[in-house]
């Protein structure tokens, strides 16, 4: 059996990704879970793993190509298996004519492909007014080339990269942008995403101040000279781990905050994939932890630590780039009392934690100086009302202070 290697859906707003490079070549032996190629999203480089043991039998998409999620980029399997005639885009949702049936196959994980599969099962790519390769389109956009003025030299008049280069030369403009174009594209994408979120999501924010004395005591109880042992390695606890633990406990009680706004309706999530905001050289990245319910503090910390390191290195895997169902952002040390975070669509909520500082709080009718932080919840008012938001923050305060 041959197995498809499919580009997963990173989030509901990502339309294309760049297949940046292949780490394996056709004919190379691979093992299931071994990284065989890398893609680039607006946020980070993502590693794509082999779907099975065997050989890398066929590469469908060359490096440097912009492709949509759900594209089949390669086949992995036994060397004796014949390679079928396969349209690599057959799983990709496309705009269809009015009389065409709706695409229902939205599987984003590895699927098994029988050797009897033929191109008759594939969904053909719909025709467009201008036929152009992804690399040529990207080059044209980067250099301001009007595609209507370019004659394609490829099959059926398809515009290829050489056609765009010729058009650029005729304008006496540079063929490519200066170094650092990737960073600028990421910055533009981030700006567009944030602007769209602020324009389209009716945000409102609500804050609560929490006495973190109990959390500080718990953290100090973990002797720094003997870090926690989790999953066979040494893990250092951070305050983010305690906040993650609290969210894992209370989000099941507040399901309206855990999910996505899709097709003008709220879609509750069956699991809690917590996104952790990480500041990287490319900008903010929100890798997702796997379902955090019913997991120990040590287990959560053991996953968080390498996840943050991978985000900083720009080497997150596809699972970590899956869309979170709720996001936590912690400003960390400093003197920032509180801040309002912008929701990352299609999520409906984000929790922003200000700097932990010693403040005067009233505890049992007495004024005490306590370590505390202000937690600000941002929600999408289409899915969450003020009562639900307030109840969530009260639950959070209760869990962190007990």
């Amino acid at each position: 059996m041959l197995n498809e290697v499919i580009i997963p859906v990173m989030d509901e707003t990502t339309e294309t990704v760049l297949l940046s490079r292949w780490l394996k070549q056709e004919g190379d032996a691979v093992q299931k879970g071994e990284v065989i190629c890398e893609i680039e999203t607006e946020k980070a480089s993502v590693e794509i793993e082999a779907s099975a043991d065997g050989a890398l039998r066929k590469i469908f998409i060359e490096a440097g190509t912009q492709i949509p999620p759900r594209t089949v980029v390669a086949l992995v399997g036994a060397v004796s298996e014949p390679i079928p005639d396969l349209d690599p885009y057959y799983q990709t949702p496309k705009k269809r004519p009015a009389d065409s049936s709706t695409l229902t196959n939205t599987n984003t994980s590895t699927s098994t492909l029988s050797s009897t599969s033929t191109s008759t099962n594939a969904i053909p790519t719909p025709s467009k007014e201008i036929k152009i390769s992804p690399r040529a389109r990207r080059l044209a956009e980067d250099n301001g080339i009007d595609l209507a003025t370019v004659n394609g030299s490829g099959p059926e008049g398809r515009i290829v990269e050489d056609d765009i280069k010729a058009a650029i030369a005729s304008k006496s403009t540079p063929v490519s942008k200066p170094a650092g174009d990737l960073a600028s594209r990421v910055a533009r994408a981030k700006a567009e995403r944030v602007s769209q979120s602020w324009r389209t999501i009716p945000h409102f924010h609500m804050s609560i101040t929490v006495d973190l004395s109990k959390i500080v005591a718990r953290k100090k109880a973990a002797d720094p000279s003997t870090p926690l042992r989790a999953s066979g390695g040494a893990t250092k606890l951070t305050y983010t781990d305690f906040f993650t633990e609290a969210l894992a406990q209370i989000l099941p009680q507040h399901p309206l905050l855990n999910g996505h706004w899709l097709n003008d309706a709220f879609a509750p999530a069956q699991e809690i994939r917590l996104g952790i905001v990480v500041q990287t050289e490319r900008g903010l990245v929100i890798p997702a932890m796997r379902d955090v319910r019913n997991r120990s503090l040590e287990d959560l910390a053991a996953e968080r630590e390498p996840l943050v390191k991978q985000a900083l290195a720009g080497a997150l895997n596809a699972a970590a780039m899956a869309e979170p169902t709720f996001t936590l952002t912690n400003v960390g040390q400093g003197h920032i009392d509180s801040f309002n975070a912008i929701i990352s669509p299609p999520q409906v909520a984000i929790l922003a934690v200000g700097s932990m500082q010693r403040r005067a709080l009233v505890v049992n009718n007495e004024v005490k100086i306590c370590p505390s932080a202000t937690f600000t919840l941002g929600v999408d008012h289409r899915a969450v009302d003020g009562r639900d938001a307030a109840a969530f923050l009260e639950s959070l305060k209760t869990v962190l202070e007990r």
Side-chain angles (χ1 to χ4, degrees):
M1 305 291 286
L2 293 178
N3 293 271
E4 298 172 349
V5 179
I6 303 172
I7 299 301
V9 176
M10 301 300 166
D11 59 53
E12 296 295 332
T13 61
T14 297
E15 297 182 355
T16 62
V17 299
L18 175 67
L19 200 162
S20 54
R21 65 168 178 157
W22 283 97
L23 303 179
K24 295 287 185 176
Q25 302 301 318
E26 287 187 4
D28 289 353
V30 297
Q31 295 182 332
K32 184 177 181 179
E34 184 178 3
V35 178
I36 60 173
C37 68
E38 292 180 351
I39 62 173
E40 291 179 357
T41 71
E42 297 174 358
K43 305 173 184 178
S45 296
V46 181
E47 297 175 339
I48 302 299
E49 301 172 348
S51 53
D53 294 338
L56 183 55
R57 295 295 313 285
K58 179 68 175 179
I59 292 177
F60 290 112
I61 307 295
E62 66 178 8
T65 304
Q66 289 278 352
I67 54 176
R70 301 188 180 97
T71 299
V72 181
V73 294
L75 295 177
V76 173
V79 295
S80 59
E81 195 76 17
I83 297 176
D85 183 7
L86 174 68
D87 174 8
Y89 297 98
Y90 82 94
Q91 295 193 77
T92 303
K94 301 181 178 71
K95 293 182 180 179
R96 318 295 290 168
D99 60 346
S100 296
S101 60
T102 302
L103 179 67
T104 58
N105 184 359
T106 57
N107 174 34
T108 61
S109 60
T110 301
S111 61
T112 302
L113 178 69
S114 168
S115 61
T116 59
S117 298
T118 66
S119 59
T120 59
N121 295 324
I123 298 176
T125 304
S127 59
K128 300 180 180 179
E129 293 183 2
I130 298 179
K131 296 181 179 180
I132 183 171
S133 70
R135 291 185 66 168
R137 182 181 296 278
R138 178 179 167 191
L139 187 61
E141 291 174 351
D142 286 347
N143 290 275
I145 299 299
D146 182 0
L147 297 179
T149 65
V150 180
N151 294 320
S153 62
E156 300 181 356
R158 183 181 180 87
I159 299 174
V160 296
E161 193 172 5
D162 286 344
D163 300 327
I164 300 300
K165 289 181 178 180
I168 293 170
S170 67
K171 289 179 59 178
S172 300
T173 57
V175 170
S176 61
K177 286 192 171 184
D181 181 54
L182 174 61
S184 65
R185 285 192 290 112
V186 171
R188 289 197 301 271
K190 174 190 171 185
E192 291 171 0
R193 185 182 178 93
V194 170
S195 298
Q196 180 187 21
S197 173
W198 192 249
R199 287 195 310 268
T200 61
I201 297 178
H203 288 68
F204 78 86
H205 295 84
M206 191 175 291
S207 299
I208 196 167
T209 298
V210 179
D211 179 359
L212 295 177
S213 300
K214 298 290 182 64
I215 298 299
V216 171
R218 287 182 62 193
K219 187 172 183 295
K220 286 183 178 179
D223 185 353
S225 63
T226 56
L228 285 172
R229 295 283 171 176
S231 303
T235 303
K236 182 180 179 181
L237 281 177
T238 69
Y239 287 111
T240 294
D241 299 322
F242 290 96
F243 303 153
T244 298
E245 179 191 44
L247 290 172
Q249 294 178 35
I250 68 171
L251 276 171
Q253 305 165 24
H254 303 275
L256 288 179
L257 281 79
N258 185 61
H260 297 145
W261 185 264
L262 300 171
N263 302 318
D264 295 324
F266 176 67
Q270 300 301 312
E271 57 182 358
I272 302 173
R273 296 194 305 275
L274 185 65
I276 304 294
V277 176
V278 181
Q279 178 69 55
T280 73
E281 292 182 354
R282 290 187 179 183
L284 295 179
V285 178
I286 310 178
M289 299 180 68
R290 55 191 173 89
D291 195 351
V292 298
R293 293 175 301 177
N294 303 317
R295 293 172 60 186
S296 68
L297 177 65
E298 293 84 355
D299 187 31
L300 294 171
E303 180 178 359
R304 184 268 313 155
E305 186 176 63
L307 198 64
V308 171
K309 290 181 179 179
Q310 292 165 14
L312 293 172
L316 291 164
N317 58 33
M321 291 302 295
E323 184 63 55
T325 59
F326 186 95
T327 290
L328 170 67
T329 175
N330 183 6
V331 74
Q333 297 179 351
H335 299 87
I336 304 302
D337 291 329
S338 65
F339 65 102
N340 295 343
I342 297 177
I343 298 167
S344 178
Q347 297 169 64
V348 299
I350 184 169
L351 183 66
V353 187
S355 302
M356 186 172 68
Q357 302 180 59
R358 296 186 65 80
R359 297 179 175 89
L361 300 179
V362 177
V363 180
N364 296 326
N365 293 323
E366 294 182 3
V367 177
K368 294 185 177 180
I369 305 299
C370 307
S372 64
T374 299
F375 292 72
T376 301
L377 178 68
V379 297
D380 183 338
H381 210 340
R382 295 172 298 182
V384 185
D385 60 25
R387 181 182 59 182
D388 295 321
F392 171 87
L393 288 174
E394 293 287 358
S395 296
L396 180 66
K397 180 180 176 70
T398 298
V399 169
L400 291 173
E401 290 185 346
R402 69 186 178 194

